[in-house]
Amino acid sequence: MTLWDRLKQREQGPREGAAVPVLQPEAVSPRTAPAPPPMSDQEKAAKLRIHDQVMKKLDLSVLSRLPEVEAREQIRSLALQVMNEEAMTLPSAMRQRVASQIEDEIMGLGPIEPLLADKTVADVLVNGWDKVFVERRGKLEMTDVRFRDNEHLMAIIDRIVTRVGRRIDESQPMVDARLADGSRVNAIIPPLAIDGPLLSIRRFTVGRLSVEELIRLGALTPTIGEVCNAIVRGRLNVLVSGGTGSGKTTLLNVLSSFIPPTERILTIEDSAELQLQQPHICRLETRPQNIEGRGEVTQRDLVRNALRMRPDRIILGEVRGGEAFDMLQAMNTGHDGSLTTVHANTPRDALSRVENMVSMAGMELPPAAVKTQIASAINVVVQTERMEDGKRRVVSLQEVEGMEGSTITMSEIFKFKRRGVDKTGAVVGDFEATGMVPRFQSRLKARGIELNPAWFEPGRRSE
C-alpha cells in the first residue's frame, strides 16, 4: 500500500476489522498549554520565605535516595505544611502555585519547568535572568517567565551540568549537556556571555513524527515520500542538509523508519536524539573530556569502532569534523545505505562542507581524490529549510551523479517552487518534478524496487 493510499484510508476511516492507526500525541496540532500568569509581589515574597523554611526542614541526603515522584510529593506536602504553620493568608490557588514552584526549584529547573512540560514548545531560550523565549511551530515568542536574578539562573545551569558529570565556571565557560528526557542543553556564561548567563534547550520530542504526518504538515508529498522510501530500502547513501532547526533530525528519523527490521543499525550522535523503532539497534554517544582533560571519545572514534561491530547500516546524527573521512570510507567499503546530516544552505554547499571536513582528518589527500570519494560515496542529498512562516519543508532532492573534470555533478529530481506569501504570512508554493529521471532508478530496479516514471515528468506537481 502506498503512502497516498494510507492517507486516503485515514481520511475515510479504517476498514471493518482493520487495525486503527495510532497517531503520536505530538504529531497532530497539539493544544497550547496556557502560560502561567506572572507572579505577584505577594507571591514572590511568599515563595522566597517558604522556600527558605522548606530547605531548613528537608533532609536532602534522604531526599536524594527517594524516587523523584515521591521526593516531589514530600516537598509539596512540606511546603503546604509550612504555609499553614506560618498562617499565611494566601488564596488556595496561590498556595498550590507556590508549592509547585518550590517543588520545581528543588527537584526541577525552577521557572522554566512549566515550559518544558508544554508539549508545544520546541526550544527554550534564556537570554539572561529576565528574558526567556520559546519557539512554537517555528516562531519565537517572549514569555513572562523570569528568574530572580543571574545568580538564580547560574544555580539552575549548574544543577543541569553537574547531573551529567560536567562543570561550568570561568575556566570552562561553555558546556553541552542533556536533560533526563533527552533534551539538548547548551550553556555559556561570563566572561564569554557579556550580559549574563545564556541557556538554550532543544526539546526532545517524545512523539516521533511519521512520514504521513510530515505529509499532512506540508513538509513533503506522498510521491517524494515514496521515492525516499525506495531510496532507503534500496540502500543508497543519503545526506540530509539544512540550517539549524530546519528539521534535519526529524527527517532522519523518518528516513530511518524505512530500514527493514531485519538489519543491524548503529547510531552515532553527540547527543542521542534519534528515535528508531527497529529491534536491532546499537546506540553510541560521544563523551567529552573530564576535568583533567582526559577521556574524550569523539564521533570519529565511534565511527571507527562501529566498523568493527558488523553493522548493516550506520546512521551518523550529524557530521561535523574529521569523522567525515571515516564515514565516506565506510560508505565506499560495503556499508551502503548509511544516513547522516550536515549544516548547509544548499545541496552543493553540503558537499563542499563535507569536503572541508575531510581535510580536518589530517589525511593530506589531494582535493581531486576527496571529491572522487564524496561522489562515489554519497548518492542522494535531501535539502530541508525552515521558512519564514515557521514551517519546515523538503525544498530539494538531488542525486549525486559522479565527477565531470574536477567538479561533482548533481541533478535535481524534486524541488519546492515558491509562488509567494499569502495574507496570513504563510509561504505558498508547490512541490514539482524537474523532469530529471534519476540514474539510481536502475539500481533500485535491480533490487526489485520499481519507481513510477510518471513521477518524474517535467513540471509535474508532486502529489
Side-chain angles (χ1 to χ4, degrees), residues 2 85 89 152 160 200 203 252 274 279 316 345 351 444:
T2 66
E85 291 173 356
T89 56
H152 185 200
I160 293 172
S200 305
R203 291 290 308 284
L252 193 63
L274 295 173
L316 186 58
N345 293 326
L351 298 187
L444 297 183

Side-chain angles (χ1 to χ4, degrees), residues 47 51 55 58 60 63 68 72 75 100-113 116 147-148 150-169 175 177-180 185 187 189 199 201:
K47 178 185 170 184
H51 181 271
M55 290 301 294
L58 272 178
L60 295 179
L63 196 70
E68 183 175 350
R72 283 179 173 270
I75 294 168
S100 178
Q101 288 161 4
I102 292 172
E103 175 189 328
D104 289 338
E105 283 290 337
I106 298 172
M107 294 296 298
L109 301 182
I112 60 174
E113 192 75 20
L116 297 175
F147 292 82
R148 287 194 304 273
N150 276 331
E151 286 70 28
H152 185 200
L153 174 55
M154 274 299 304
I156 296 298
I157 292 174
D158 192 59
R159 180 180 300 168
I160 293 172
V161 300
T162 53
R163 284 177 178 175
V164 292
R166 313 266 174 101
R167 68 188 179 95
I168 187 166
D169 51 37
V175 70
R178 191 173 77 240
L179 298 181
V185 178
I189 66 173
L199 177 66
I201 301 176

Side-chain angles (χ1 to χ4, degrees), residues 42 83 88-97:
Q42 182 187 17
M83 278 185 259
M88 286 190 167
T89 56
L90 297 177
S92 176
M94 188 177 291
R95 283 171 172 259
Q96 294 297 327
R97 280 186 63 190

Side-chain angles (χ1 to χ4, degrees), residues 35-36 38 111-112 115 121 123-125 130-136 140-146:
I112 60 174
L115 301 179
V121 172
D123 294 296
V124 178
L125 308 169
D130 60 343
K131 295 184 182 68
V132 180
F133 294 81
V134 297
E135 182 197 303
R136 285 191 177 94
L140 290 177
E141 304 173 9
M142 183 77 168
T143 72
D144 293 323
V145 173
R146 300 287 185 272

Side-chain angles (χ1 to χ4, degrees), residues 4 17 27 130 138 147 338 406:
W4 184 253
D130 60 343
F147 292 82
S338 297
S406 61

Side-chain angles (χ1 to χ4, degrees), residues 20-32:
V20 179
V22 179
L23 297 182
Q24 298 291 350
E26 292 186 26
V28 188
S29 301
R31 293 180 182 175
T32 302

